[in-house]
Amino acid sequence: MAHYATTLGRNPEATYRQIDIAGRTGGADPHELVALLYDELGRALRAVAAAIDSGNRAVRSEKATRAISILFALESGLDFERGGDLSKTLAGLYRGARAKVIDASLGDDPRPFIAVATNMAQIAQAWAEVRRG
């Protein structure tokens, strides 16, 4: 228990985010989970860009890894049987975004991360519109 309390105290913001995400995903349907993944992806990519600007290598590495993981989760969650060509298109977009993040992680330019975040935000917007419509 002492280790748990120590971990919570080290980074209260990260702890809050974990609790918040757990709360939001608890009763979420698959469509809501995808929307949450898009939200978290955008946050991670913007955090990478900010970390590059501030020279924070630890946050940069952590958030880039998180973004890559989320892109993989989005791709692996696609239903190719029911999604048809759209699923194939999204898989290609996610793979391309993942490659761009990996390549950009080797440099010191925040712009590729912002570009991927912008592109994924457009897909997230379309996803939200489909869910409403």
Side-chain angles (χ1 to χ4, degrees), residues 35-76:
L36 287 172
L37 285 173
Y38 282 129
D39 288 346
E40 288 302 310
L41 176 60
R43 283 187 187 97
L45 291 166
R46 288 188 300 277
V48 173
I52 289 171
D53 287 340
S54 68
N56 189 334
R57 292 197 177 276
V59 169
R60 173 185 170 166
S61 176
E62 175 191 339
K63 298 302 181 179
T65 300
R66 182 166 180 78
I68 292 164
S69 296
I70 292 169
L71 286 163
F72 181 74
L74 286 165
E75 182 182 353
S76 66

Side-chain angles (χ1 to χ4, degrees), residues 8-97:
L8 288 176
R10 278 192 206 138
N11 190 341
E13 180 184 351
T15 301
Y16 171 78
R17 293 222 17 88
Q18 287 176 341
I19 292 168
D20 179 52
I21 291 169
R24 292 188 300 165
T25 59
D29 68 35
H31 297 97
E32 289 172 303
L33 291 174
V34 170
L36 287 172
L37 285 173
Y38 282 129
D39 288 346
E40 288 302 310
L41 176 60
R43 283 187 187 97
L45 291 166
R46 288 188 300 277
V48 173
I52 289 171
D53 287 340
S54 68
N56 189 334
R57 292 197 177 276
V59 169
R60 173 185 170 166
S61 176
E62 175 191 339
K63 298 302 181 179
T65 300
R66 182 166 180 78
I68 292 164
S69 296
I70 292 169
L71 286 163
F72 181 74
L74 286 165
E75 182 182 353
S76 66
L78 292 171
D79 184 343
F80 291 98
E81 288 181 22
R82 292 184 9 201
D85 288 339
L86 178 59
S87 291
K88 291 175 187 172
T89 299
L90 286 171
L93 290 170
Y94 296 148
R95 277 192 298 273

